[in-house]
Amino acid sequence: MSLSEIKLNAPAVVKEINIIDKKIKFRLMELGLNVGTKILVKNRSIMKRTLLVVFNSSCFTLKENLARDIVVNYA
Amino acid sequence: MHKILIIGNPNVGKSTLFNSLTKSSEHTGNFHGVTVEEKHKIVNFQNEEYDFYDLPGMYSLNSFSFEEEVARKFALDMKADRIVLIDANSIRKNLYLCLQFLEMNIDFKILINNYDYFKKYKNNLDIEKLSNKLNVCCEIINAKKIKIKDFALKNSEKSYHFVNFQKNSLIFDSYLSKYIKIIKNKYNLDEKTIIYALNGIFDNLSEEQINYIQSFYPELILDRYNYIDNILKDSVSIQKNFVYGLNRADRIILKPIVATLGFLFCFFASVYLIFFLIGPKISEGLNLIIYFIFINPFMNFLYSVTSNVWLIEFFSNGVFSSILTVISFLPQILLLFIFLTILEDSGLVSRMAYVFDDFLSIFGLNGKAIYIMLLGLGCNTVSSLATRNMNEKNLRIKTILLNPYISCIARLPIYVIIASAFFGERAYFVVTGLYLLGLFVALIVGFVLNKTILKSNSNTLLLEFPPLRAIDFKHMLVVGRDNAIDTAKRIFFIVLGVGVIVWVLSHTAFDLSYTAIITDSILFYFADKISFLFAPIGLDSAGIVSGLIVGIMAKELLVSTFSISNNVTTISGLISSICVATNVIHFNTASAVSFLVFTLLYCPCVSNLAVIKKEIGRFWMWFAVISQFSIAYLLSFVIYNTFIHNIFYSLIVLFAIVLILISIIYIIKKIRTKKIVCMFCSKNCNKKNNK
């Protein structure tokens, strides 16, 4: 299941990060989004193009097109 | 001299620490990417000189945007002591950058900020254990309260350099050596080059080597975090569900409808309060104070010592009128900056960036553009520089090009004066309408650019949310005061300097003698020669044209030029004078609206043009000038002719102009296509289109 499909406030665990753009992928990993990281979608914007996600004890905005490339399982 | 670099992740309080240590008031904000270039200041304490550098924030040495590139360059290349400031609340993420410095054998000291917030949520940190485990000197500080005295004392007691530093043996043994070994076997590179490449610095490496080394990044990043977790295991305990950045209020604030309506209400209410309710009253008071304390005594003195008409006219109308009319707006400027500081310091800007990201992405922008636009309300030049925190080139060019459409503070005096003169109590709606028109045009231009020459390859908004914070009133007033002082200085040097030149040119005849009849002056002679160009938009008066020319230097000059031309020294005098047809500068309702729209859009000021050229190049600077002038002219044309004739007349003429322009472009394209020789038959057969 991709991160963009996960329910709000349902904790999930990252299984794979399939983002093609290396620069963005590495930056997300450097911010603490790695395989095995617990992640939580806190909010979706009005057109659902941007998500508000929590990982590594911090809160980040993440575009939906990137969230689609992150494979997660419910924790 | 001690050179000290303040390094760290974005929004950990680097600029706050810099301000506390150097007693400066550099721009700070509860938002990612407030500092976009290095700042430094030398402080003397007990015969020692400390040169502090405040660097833009960076999450890692593997730079992601232009500002991170600047910070990395300074952090690695400069011979200085390094402070890595980290936020206790996101210590795990912040230590990632520290680990990279350790890998590269770079000395530094860690200062931990925001510890009070961390403790408030029952988290714990053992500073001694953390220092020992990291092998780096760590200290807890309060960036807001630290003084150079405490800093210098600590500096003498504890070295900046590692306690018993050994060549990163822990990190080497833990994970780094395995990568070095594998890469060395494949490419026979030296150890330093490999370590630098593992941290995103590729000097003299081939594309193949870079790709190979980057293939280890995912595993390496995981190893780094495992190493950090090992360190934190014994020294830090964090509550299970602790999330830094989200507050309870966010449940309401982040609801799109609440956020949009709330922001619009706050914005329009602030404009009304600042420019129409409170501001004018303070302005009147300030005007009276300046008049009775400075101008009146000075003019009385002048009358007593000379009867030279030129000299008296020069001071009363040249110097004082240009300054007084613009300085009257200082209270409004101060209030607007306070409003912007509240938005920045509270953490609301990040929320707005998130909420408006969807809407802005329709026009090829992203949420960060909200911050740029808000800064643009103050000064377009500053906000053009702030685009450095954008990581995509086309997105950055687009944002810089749209920025001048947002009404800066310099344009406000002219809006208020003309709107008050022709619309009385409805002036508020006219000024608000101008703000909205600027925003609307910016979005439409953004949409067109995004669909044509500046398509964004990727639209990523990766923004860390800061927690909402209570407003620090002292800081708010300091920022407001400093901005008002900066504006006053600008008014003094630009408006006075250019205002005096305008006065001299408008009171000097061709034989270089003084003339009281402005229409006989040099300035009006030249303005009159080109004023026919502005006849279709109702601005064919030489006085207005000279104002528009001077306004390109700085928009504040419009008001001072008008007051010089009409021989008035007060705002109320200027408001009533522009309605009188016998005055040099006068409008009717149609030309007034046309002028307001034209002023809103016609050209960025000289300082903004210089920044545009520096940041994105000469081509885009000229693109900004030509496109803005064309859009301003066309819109003013439609509005003026709608007033004079009717909307159908102006639309038909506009349609005809656009049709002629399209036909010309089409014919030029056809001619150019015919001239291209076909690659198959070497003749002008136009087959190239079929390929």
Side-chain angles (χ1 to χ4, degrees), chain B residues 329-365:
Chain B
F329 285 91
L330 266 186
Q332 283 99 320
I333 291 167
L334 175 79
L335 290 169
L336 183 71
F337 278 116
I338 286 176
F339 168 71
L340 292 176
T341 312
I342 291 172
L343 283 181
E344 281 188 56
D345 281 10
S346 59
L348 283 171
V349 173
S350 303
R351 272 84 183 155
M352 282 163 61
Y354 166 69
V355 169
F356 288 103
D357 184 59
D358 277 356
F359 174 69
L360 290 170
S361 63
I362 298 170
F363 303 96
L365 302 169

mmCIF file of all heavy atoms in Angstrom, chain B residues 329-365:
data_model
loop_
_atom_site.group_PDB
_atom_site.id
_atom_site.type_symbol
_atom_site.label_atom_id
_atom_site.label_comp_id
_atom_site.label_asym_id
_atom_site.label_seq_id
_atom_site.Cartn_x
_atom_site.Cartn_y
_atom_site.Cartn_z
ATOM 1 N N PHE B 329 4.146 58.281 6.091
ATOM 2 C CA PHE B 329 3.684 56.898 6.007
ATOM 3 C C PHE B 329 4.501 55.941 6.878
ATOM 4 O O PHE B 329 4.254 54.750 6.893
ATOM 5 C CB PHE B 329 3.680 56.426 4.544
ATOM 6 C CG PHE B 329 2.541 57.007 3.774
ATOM 7 C CD1 PHE B 329 2.681 58.199 3.098
ATOM 8 C CD2 PHE B 329 1.305 56.387 3.778
ATOM 9 C CE1 PHE B 329 1.620 58.757 2.418
ATOM 10 C CE2 PHE B 329 0.235 56.935 3.096
ATOM 11 C CZ PHE B 329 0.386 58.131 2.418
ATOM 12 N N LEU B 330 5.482 56.485 7.610
ATOM 13 C CA LEU B 330 6.308 55.618 8.471
ATOM 14 C C LEU B 330 5.478 54.834 9.503
ATOM 15 O O LEU B 330 5.731 53.642 9.699
ATOM 16 C CB LEU B 330 7.377 56.445 9.183
ATOM 17 C CG LEU B 330 8.735 56.524 8.491
ATOM 18 C CD1 LEU B 330 9.734 57.245 9.369
ATOM 19 C CD2 LEU B 330 9.287 55.153 8.142
ATOM 20 N N PRO B 331 4.504 55.445 10.179
ATOM 21 C CA PRO B 331 3.727 54.665 11.149
ATOM 22 C C PRO B 331 3.029 53.472 10.494
ATOM 23 O O PRO B 331 3.016 52.372 11.053
ATOM 24 C CB PRO B 331 2.686 55.672 11.664
ATOM 25 C CG PRO B 331 3.288 56.993 11.417
ATOM 26 C CD PRO B 331 4.109 56.862 10.184
ATOM 27 N N GLN B 332 2.483 53.686 9.293
ATOM 28 C CA GLN B 332 1.817 52.572 8.599
ATOM 29 C C GLN B 332 2.823 51.472 8.265
ATOM 30 O O GLN B 332 2.530 50.290 8.387
ATOM 31 C CB GLN B 332 1.148 53.058 7.308
ATOM 32 C CG GLN B 332 -0.142 53.794 7.534
ATOM 33 C CD GLN B 332 0.030 55.295 7.500
ATOM 34 O OE1 GLN B 332 1.013 55.821 8.017
ATOM 35 N NE2 GLN B 332 -0.910 56.005 6.912
ATOM 36 N N ILE B 333 4.016 51.906 7.848
ATOM 37 C CA ILE B 333 5.064 50.941 7.491
ATOM 38 C C ILE B 333 5.453 50.124 8.733
ATOM 39 O O ILE B 333 5.568 48.903 8.681
ATOM 40 C CB ILE B 333 6.283 51.678 6.895
ATOM 41 C CG1 ILE B 333 5.897 52.266 5.521
ATOM 42 C CG2 ILE B 333 7.491 50.772 6.761
ATOM 43 C CD1 ILE B 333 6.878 53.263 4.958
ATOM 44 N N LEU B 334 5.601 50.817 9.850
ATOM 45 C CA LEU B 334 5.936 50.147 11.109
ATOM 46 C C LEU B 334 4.864 49.119 11.468
ATOM 47 O O LEU B 334 5.174 47.966 11.800
ATOM 48 C CB LEU B 334 6.066 51.199 12.222
ATOM 49 C CG LEU B 334 6.289 50.673 13.627
ATOM 50 C CD1 LEU B 334 7.738 50.286 13.822
ATOM 51 C CD2 LEU B 334 5.922 51.710 14.673
ATOM 52 N N LEU B 335 3.602 49.498 11.349
ATOM 53 C CA LEU B 335 2.503 48.585 11.695
ATOM 54 C C LEU B 335 2.456 47.383 10.757
ATOM 55 O O LEU B 335 2.215 46.254 11.189
ATOM 56 C CB LEU B 335 1.166 49.334 11.660
ATOM 57 C CG LEU B 335 0.955 50.369 12.769
ATOM 58 C CD1 LEU B 335 -0.265 51.226 12.485
ATOM 59 C CD2 LEU B 335 0.808 49.700 14.114
ATOM 60 N N LEU B 336 2.722 47.603 9.474
ATOM 61 C CA LEU B 336 2.707 46.489 8.523
ATOM 62 C C LEU B 336 3.823 45.489 8.841
ATOM 63 O O LEU B 336 3.611 44.277 8.809
ATOM 64 C CB LEU B 336 2.844 46.993 7.084
ATOM 65 C CG LEU B 336 2.772 45.891 6.036
ATOM 66 C CD1 LEU B 336 1.367 45.331 5.903
ATOM 67 C CD2 LEU B 336 3.226 46.370 4.667
ATOM 68 N N PHE B 337 4.991 45.998 9.173
ATOM 69 C CA PHE B 337 6.089 45.093 9.512
ATOM 70 C C PHE B 337 5.797 44.315 10.796
ATOM 71 O O PHE B 337 6.191 43.160 10.932
ATOM 72 C CB PHE B 337 7.416 45.847 9.622
ATOM 73 C CG PHE B 337 8.057 46.075 8.279
ATOM 74 C CD1 PHE B 337 8.247 47.345 7.772
ATOM 75 C CD2 PHE B 337 8.459 44.995 7.500
ATOM 76 C CE1 PHE B 337 8.818 47.550 6.531
ATOM 77 C CE2 PHE B 337 9.028 45.189 6.257
ATOM 78 C CZ PHE B 337 9.211 46.465 5.765
ATOM 79 N N ILE B 338 5.105 44.947 11.723
ATOM 80 C CA ILE B 338 4.718 44.228 12.949
ATOM 81 C C ILE B 338 3.763 43.084 12.589
ATOM 82 O O ILE B 338 3.903 41.967 13.072
ATOM 83 C CB ILE B 338 4.090 45.211 13.969
ATOM 84 C CG1 ILE B 338 5.202 46.074 14.576
ATOM 85 C CG2 ILE B 338 3.328 44.471 15.060
ATOM 86 C CD1 ILE B 338 4.734 47.152 15.529
ATOM 87 N N PHE B 339 2.830 43.360 11.675
ATOM 88 C CA PHE B 339 1.889 42.327 11.221
ATOM 89 C C PHE B 339 2.646 41.149 10.586
ATOM 90 O O PHE B 339 2.379 39.983 10.873
ATOM 91 C CB PHE B 339 0.904 42.952 10.223
ATOM 92 C CG PHE B 339 0.073 41.958 9.461
ATOM 93 C CD1 PHE B 339 -0.924 41.238 10.087
ATOM 94 C CD2 PHE B 339 0.289 41.745 8.095
ATOM 95 C CE1 PHE B 339 -1.690 40.318 9.383
ATOM 96 C CE2 PHE B 339 -0.472 40.824 7.387
ATOM 97 C CZ PHE B 339 -1.465 40.109 8.033
ATOM 98 N N LEU B 340 3.631 41.472 9.740
ATOM 99 C CA LEU B 340 4.409 40.411 9.081
ATOM 100 C C LEU B 340 5.242 39.635 10.096
ATOM 101 O O LEU B 340 5.385 38.413 10.003
ATOM 102 C CB LEU B 340 5.333 41.011 8.012
ATOM 103 C CG LEU B 340 4.640 41.604 6.781
ATOM 104 C CD1 LEU B 340 5.646 42.239 5.846
ATOM 105 C CD2 LEU B 340 3.855 40.539 6.037
ATOM 106 N N THR B 341 5.783 40.333 11.106
ATOM 107 C CA THR B 341 6.589 39.660 12.139
ATOM 108 C C THR B 341 5.729 38.692 12.941
ATOM 109 O O THR B 341 6.177 37.596 13.287
ATOM 110 C CB THR B 341 7.219 40.714 13.086
ATOM 111 O OG1 THR B 341 7.809 41.713 12.299
ATOM 112 C CG2 THR B 341 8.257 40.096 13.991
ATOM 113 N N ILE B 342 4.495 39.085 13.216
ATOM 114 C CA ILE B 342 3.591 38.191 13.957
ATOM 115 C C ILE B 342 3.394 36.893 13.169
ATOM 116 O O ILE B 342 3.503 35.791 13.703
ATOM 117 C CB ILE B 342 2.224 38.871 14.224
ATOM 118 C CG1 ILE B 342 2.417 40.008 15.224
ATOM 119 C CG2 ILE B 342 1.192 37.874 14.742
ATOM 120 C CD1 ILE B 342 1.189 40.882 15.423
ATOM 121 N N LEU B 343 3.164 37.035 11.857
ATOM 122 C CA LEU B 343 2.965 35.840 11.019
ATOM 123 C C LEU B 343 4.205 34.954 11.011
ATOM 124 O O LEU B 343 4.130 33.731 11.121
ATOM 125 C CB LEU B 343 2.642 36.247 9.578
ATOM 126 C CG LEU B 343 1.229 36.730 9.282
ATOM 127 C CD1 LEU B 343 1.090 37.060 7.816
ATOM 128 C CD2 LEU B 343 0.196 35.676 9.657
ATOM 129 N N GLU B 344 5.370 35.577 10.892
ATOM 130 C CA GLU B 344 6.622 34.810 10.798
ATOM 131 C C GLU B 344 6.977 34.140 12.125
ATOM 132 O O GLU B 344 7.324 32.966 12.157
ATOM 133 C CB GLU B 344 7.767 35.729 10.386
ATOM 134 C CG GLU B 344 7.788 36.034 8.917
ATOM 135 C CD GLU B 344 9.045 36.779 8.545
ATOM 136 O OE1 GLU B 344 10.131 36.265 8.815
ATOM 137 O OE2 GLU B 344 8.938 37.899 8.014
ATOM 138 N N ASP B 345 6.913 34.913 13.221
ATOM 139 C CA ASP B 345 7.367 34.386 14.508
ATOM 140 C C ASP B 345 6.437 33.332 15.086
ATOM 141 O O ASP B 345 6.862 32.444 15.810
ATOM 142 C CB ASP B 345 7.510 35.534 15.525
ATOM 143 C CG ASP B 345 8.797 36.293 15.319
ATOM 144 O OD1 ASP B 345 9.451 36.032 14.291
ATOM 145 O OD2 ASP B 345 9.159 37.126 16.173
ATOM 146 N N SER B 346 5.162 33.444 14.772
ATOM 147 C CA SER B 346 4.210 32.518 15.379
ATOM 148 C C SER B 346 4.292 31.125 14.757
ATOM 149 O O SER B 346 3.846 30.159 15.355
ATOM 150 C CB SER B 346 2.798 33.064 15.210
ATOM 151 O OG SER B 346 2.538 33.213 13.833
ATOM 152 N N GLY B 347 4.875 31.004 13.570
ATOM 153 C CA GLY B 347 4.921 29.706 12.881
ATOM 154 C C GLY B 347 3.769 29.558 11.897
ATOM 155 O O GLY B 347 3.588 28.502 11.289
ATOM 156 N N LEU B 348 2.974 30.619 11.731
ATOM 157 C CA LEU B 348 1.813 30.530 10.839
ATOM 158 C C LEU B 348 2.203 30.478 9.357
ATOM 159 O O LEU B 348 1.463 29.959 8.541
ATOM 160 C CB LEU B 348 0.883 31.731 11.075
ATOM 161 C CG LEU B 348 0.013 31.653 12.329
ATOM 162 C CD1 LEU B 348 -0.692 32.976 12.574
ATOM 163 C CD2 LEU B 348 -1.021 30.545 12.208
ATOM 164 N N VAL B 349 3.387 30.999 9.034
ATOM 165 C CA VAL B 349 3.795 31.020 7.618
ATOM 166 C C VAL B 349 3.909 29.594 7.067
ATOM 167 O O VAL B 349 3.468 29.317 5.954
ATOM 168 C CB VAL B 349 5.117 31.800 7.448
ATOM 169 C CG1 VAL B 349 5.632 31.672 6.030
ATOM 170 C CG2 VAL B 349 4.913 33.265 7.773
ATOM 171 N N SER B 350 4.488 28.689 7.862
ATOM 172 C CA SER B 350 4.599 27.287 7.403
ATOM 173 C C SER B 350 3.223 26.686 7.185
ATOM 174 O O SER B 350 3.004 25.938 6.229
ATOM 175 C CB SER B 350 5.327 26.436 8.438
ATOM 176 O OG SER B 350 6.560 26.986 8.691
ATOM 177 N N ARG B 351 2.299 27.011 8.093
ATOM 178 C CA ARG B 351 0.925 26.495 7.953
ATOM 179 C C ARG B 351 0.283 27.038 6.672
ATOM 180 O O ARG B 351 -0.406 26.320 5.955
ATOM 181 C CB ARG B 351 0.063 26.921 9.153
ATOM 182 C CG ARG B 351 0.085 25.983 10.339
ATOM 183 C CD ARG B 351 1.247 26.241 11.225
ATOM 184 N NE ARG B 351 1.323 25.303 12.342
ATOM 185 C CZ ARG B 351 2.443 25.017 12.959
ATOM 186 N NH1 ARG B 351 3.587 25.548 12.576
ATOM 187 N NH2 ARG B 351 2.455 24.170 13.959
ATOM 188 N N MET B 352 0.537 28.316 6.408
ATOM 189 C CA MET B 352 -0.031 28.917 5.195
ATOM 190 C C MET B 352 0.576 28.284 3.948
ATOM 191 O O MET B 352 -0.121 28.040 2.960
ATOM 192 C CB MET B 352 0.242 30.428 5.188
ATOM 193 C CG MET B 352 -0.693 31.192 6.103
ATOM 194 S SD MET B 352 -0.075 32.815 6.457
ATOM 195 C CE MET B 352 -0.031 33.489 4.836
ATOM 196 N N ALA B 353 1.888 28.024 4.001
ATOM 197 C CA ALA B 353 2.562 27.390 2.856
ATOM 198 C C ALA B 353 1.914 26.047 2.551
ATOM 199 O O ALA B 353 1.683 25.697 1.386
ATOM 200 C CB ALA B 353 4.042 27.222 3.151
ATOM 201 N N TYR B 354 1.589 25.302 3.619
ATOM 202 C CA TYR B 354 0.967 23.979 3.441
ATOM 203 C C TYR B 354 -0.464 24.111 2.905
ATOM 204 O O TYR B 354 -0.841 23.455 1.930
ATOM 205 C CB TYR B 354 0.988 23.235 4.780
ATOM 206 C CG TYR B 354 0.102 22.027 4.824
ATOM 207 C CD1 TYR B 354 0.399 20.896 4.075
ATOM 208 C CD2 TYR B 354 -1.052 22.021 5.603
ATOM 209 C CE1 TYR B 354 -0.433 19.790 4.109
ATOM 210 C CE2 TYR B 354 -1.890 20.923 5.644
ATOM 211 C CZ TYR B 354 -1.572 19.799 4.892
ATOM 212 O OH TYR B 354 -2.398 18.716 4.912
ATOM 213 N N VAL B 355 -1.229 25.002 3.529
ATOM 214 C CA VAL B 355 -2.641 25.134 3.166
ATOM 215 C C VAL B 355 -2.802 25.659 1.730
ATOM 216 O O VAL B 355 -3.649 25.190 0.979
ATOM 217 C CB VAL B 355 -3.364 26.058 4.180
ATOM 218 C CG1 VAL B 355 -4.763 26.421 3.685
ATOM 219 C CG2 VAL B 355 -3.461 25.379 5.529
ATOM 220 N N PHE B 356 -1.944 26.623 1.334
ATOM 221 C CA PHE B 356 -2.098 27.235 0.007
ATOM 222 C C PHE B 356 -1.301 26.517 -1.085
ATOM 223 O O PHE B 356 -1.345 26.929 -2.236
ATOM 224 C CB PHE B 356 -1.692 28.715 0.057
ATOM 225 C CG PHE B 356 -2.686 29.567 0.789
ATOM 226 C CD1 PHE B 356 -2.449 30.004 2.077
ATOM 227 C CD2 PHE B 356 -3.889 29.912 0.188
ATOM 228 C CE1 PHE B 356 -3.374 30.784 2.757
ATOM 229 C CE2 PHE B 356 -4.824 30.694 0.857
ATOM 230 C CZ PHE B 356 -4.569 31.128 2.152
ATOM 231 N N ASP B 357 -0.597 25.457 -0.710
ATOM 232 C CA ASP B 357 0.236 24.758 -1.698
ATOM 233 C C ASP B 357 -0.576 24.210 -2.868
ATOM 234 O O ASP B 357 -0.189 24.353 -4.028
ATOM 235 C CB ASP B 357 1.017 23.627 -1.007
ATOM 236 C CG ASP B 357 1.955 22.943 -1.970
ATOM 237 O OD1 ASP B 357 2.819 23.645 -2.520
ATOM 238 O OD2 ASP B 357 1.811 21.739 -2.193
ATOM 239 N N ASP B 358 -1.730 23.621 -2.567
ATOM 240 C CA ASP B 358 -2.587 23.054 -3.622
ATOM 241 C C ASP B 358 -3.022 24.124 -4.608
ATOM 242 O O ASP B 358 -2.942 23.956 -5.819
ATOM 243 C CB ASP B 358 -3.851 22.452 -2.997
ATOM 244 C CG ASP B 358 -3.592 21.064 -2.490
ATOM 245 O OD1 ASP B 358 -2.475 20.566 -2.704
ATOM 246 O OD2 ASP B 358 -4.504 20.475 -1.893
ATOM 247 N N PHE B 359 -3.498 25.238 -4.036
ATOM 248 C CA PHE B 359 -3.997 26.341 -4.861
ATOM 249 C C PHE B 359 -2.866 26.893 -5.730
ATOM 250 O O PHE B 359 -3.030 27.093 -6.943
ATOM 251 C CB PHE B 359 -4.565 27.425 -3.939
ATOM 252 C CG PHE B 359 -4.990 28.673 -4.655
ATOM 253 C CD1 PHE B 359 -6.094 28.671 -5.494
ATOM 254 C CD2 PHE B 359 -4.277 29.853 -4.505
ATOM 255 C CE1 PHE B 359 -6.483 29.821 -6.160
ATOM 256 C CE2 PHE B 359 -4.659 31.001 -5.162
ATOM 257 C CZ PHE B 359 -5.766 30.981 -5.998
ATOM 258 N N LEU B 360 -1.692 27.101 -5.132
ATOM 259 C CA LEU B 360 -0.579 27.689 -5.880
ATOM 260 C C LEU B 360 -0.019 26.733 -6.929
ATOM 261 O O LEU B 360 0.511 27.175 -7.950
ATOM 262 C CB LEU B 360 0.529 28.133 -4.912
ATOM 263 C CG LEU B 360 0.172 29.339 -4.045
ATOM 264 C CD1 LEU B 360 1.212 29.548 -2.957
ATOM 265 C CD2 LEU B 360 0.060 30.606 -4.885
ATOM 266 N N SER B 361 -0.137 25.426 -6.680
ATOM 267 C CA SER B 361 0.412 24.462 -7.645
ATOM 268 C C SER B 361 -0.355 24.518 -8.975
ATOM 269 O O SER B 361 0.180 24.168 -10.019
ATOM 270 C CB SER B 361 0.428 23.047 -7.076
ATOM 271 O OG SER B 361 -0.886 22.637 -6.830
ATOM 272 N N ILE B 362 -1.600 25.011 -8.952
ATOM 273 C CA ILE B 362 -2.364 25.185 -10.199
ATOM 274 C C ILE B 362 -1.639 26.196 -11.095
ATOM 275 O O ILE B 362 -1.648 26.105 -12.308
ATOM 276 C CB ILE B 362 -3.795 25.706 -9.888
ATOM 277 C CG1 ILE B 362 -4.549 24.687 -9.051
ATOM 278 C CG2 ILE B 362 -4.565 26.028 -11.174
ATOM 279 C CD1 ILE B 362 -5.860 25.213 -8.493
ATOM 280 N N PHE B 363 -0.980 27.160 -10.458
ATOM 281 C CA PHE B 363 -0.314 28.237 -11.214
ATOM 282 C C PHE B 363 1.195 27.989 -11.357
ATOM 283 O O PHE B 363 1.964 28.896 -11.652
ATOM 284 C CB PHE B 363 -0.560 29.575 -10.510
ATOM 285 C CG PHE B 363 -2.015 29.876 -10.347
ATOM 286 C CD1 PHE B 363 -2.669 29.573 -9.165
ATOM 287 C CD2 PHE B 363 -2.742 30.414 -11.387
ATOM 288 C CE1 PHE B 363 -4.023 29.811 -9.022
ATOM 289 C CE2 PHE B 363 -4.093 30.661 -11.251
ATOM 290 C CZ PHE B 363 -4.743 30.356 -10.069
ATOM 291 N N GLY B 364 1.594 26.743 -11.115
ATOM 292 C CA GLY B 364 3.007 26.392 -11.301
ATOM 293 C C GLY B 364 3.912 26.864 -10.182
ATOM 294 O O GLY B 364 5.124 26.932 -10.345
ATOM 295 N N LEU B 365 3.332 27.215 -9.030
ATOM 296 C CA LEU B 365 4.149 27.646 -7.896
ATOM 297 C C LEU B 365 4.026 26.605 -6.789
ATOM 298 O O LEU B 365 3.278 25.655 -6.922
ATOM 299 C CB LEU B 365 3.648 29.000 -7.382
ATOM 300 C CG LEU B 365 3.639 30.137 -8.396
ATOM 301 C CD1 LEU B 365 2.874 31.327 -7.842
ATOM 302 C CD2 LEU B 365 5.062 30.557 -8.743
#
